[in-house]
Amino acid sequence: MKMGLPIPNSKLGMWLFLGTEIMFFTAFIGSYIVLRMGSPGFPTDPDVTHIRIWAGGLNTFVLILSSYFVVVAHEAMVVDNYTKARRFLIFTFVLACLFLGIKSIEYYGKFSHDILPGRVPENAMQSVEKVEKQFGDIVRAEVAAAVPDAATYDDQLNALRSGDQSGEAANVLALAEEYNHFASHVRANLALDQKRDEKSALIILQDGKEVVTKDFRLTVARKKVTLESGKTIVLDAPDIKKTKKVEEDDEEDIAPAGEENANDAVEKPDASAEKEPALYDFTTQDGKTYRGTVEDVASTFTLTFPDGKTQEMPIADVAEERAIDRPELISADATEAESKAQLKVVEDHIHKLTKDDRFAGMLGHLHLSPPILFGNLFASCYFIMTGFHAIHVIVGMILFGIVLLQPSMEGWGDWIENSGLYWHFVDLVWIFLFPLLYIV
């Protein structure tokens, strides 16, 4: 009596292997369903995710037809018709190549639109950040090619500004200035989003030049103190701890700067005492004491730029100061409609630059990636599921290729039968993946 199942060991081994493969793909499919159902707003528009339903449907037909050809090849092997078996195995191999070719076209669409895990912007500001980075990489490469001898980007840019302002160099410089203008707005708004209590602003100078700041502070009540030695110093209101009149020791100290209006930090002498200015003792925050007469200094703006640098500017040089409200800037608390409108402005600006004859050759691949909510989750699921399936298709092709390379197919019946079982499993997995990723 013979014990065990009435099937060859090779077929039993293949069925056991396919059982583990079923658990493997079940984990992928189950995780995808849980993530999909638990992510409100998961992307489903094929035009957004660049899913091509026709390509998935065509690949489904290709795999089903290839499975049929495997069955025909196995039946031919059973009746020892090796010529027919080889012919239909070749058909199966060709269809597998066609499947991978169509899949590569789909993958190319994802790569060309940068729909890759970790690289998909999920809100409006991330879209602007991404295009700003791409823009900057292009500009730095073009500037470095135009001025290869300079060490840093700033040196290269200064060399362009002081060099020949014609031809290709002029176009590169114009592109760099366009980028600097665009990046200053983006970075200023990033700073605004990160620290909402800072007073980011657009400063317009008297000469019409615009300055975008990360923070600005109007410095008032700066005091120019003339010491008894004749030397003069200027003290900022925040640096003054207390001030006291010399002639009136019992007079109440003036409150430290910041606790009341800085313009009131020093008493103004009476009109009758203008000929003999009063003396004051100034004690600074670091404990130093100065004695002398005092006069107000014109107010200034202290500007802090997105790169962290600061600059003082006389208030007389400022024509206008207003909060940043340019459409290029995407606010973190903007509504969805506002964000879409702002993104449209940015997209139109980028499109205008790419159509400019001066920049067209340099900005051919620059585009604004629209935000896709849960786009990175979608890309991760798509590539891991279709990627592992593609690996299994390649393994099946290797199995068919081994037998096709044999000069005679006699004795390879079990191999083709087991390879066919594996291929049917690959086909079945795709029948689950196609509706989940392409249709639902």
Side-chain angles (χ1 to χ4, degrees), residues 339-357:
S339 295
K340 288 182 178 179
Q342 293 166 329
L343 274 175
K344 184 66 168 60
V345 173
V346 178
E347 186 175 22
D348 290 345
H349 180 66
I350 296 299
H351 182 73
K352 179 181 177 182
L353 291 177
T354 57
K355 295 302 180 183
D356 192 314
D357 292 338

Side-chain angles (χ1 to χ4, degrees), residues 217-230:
R217 176 166 58 91
L218 179 62
T219 305
V220 296
R222 303 184 78 199
K223 304 302 177 183
K224 180 179 179 182
V225 180
T226 302
L227 305 179
E228 293 176 313
S229 63

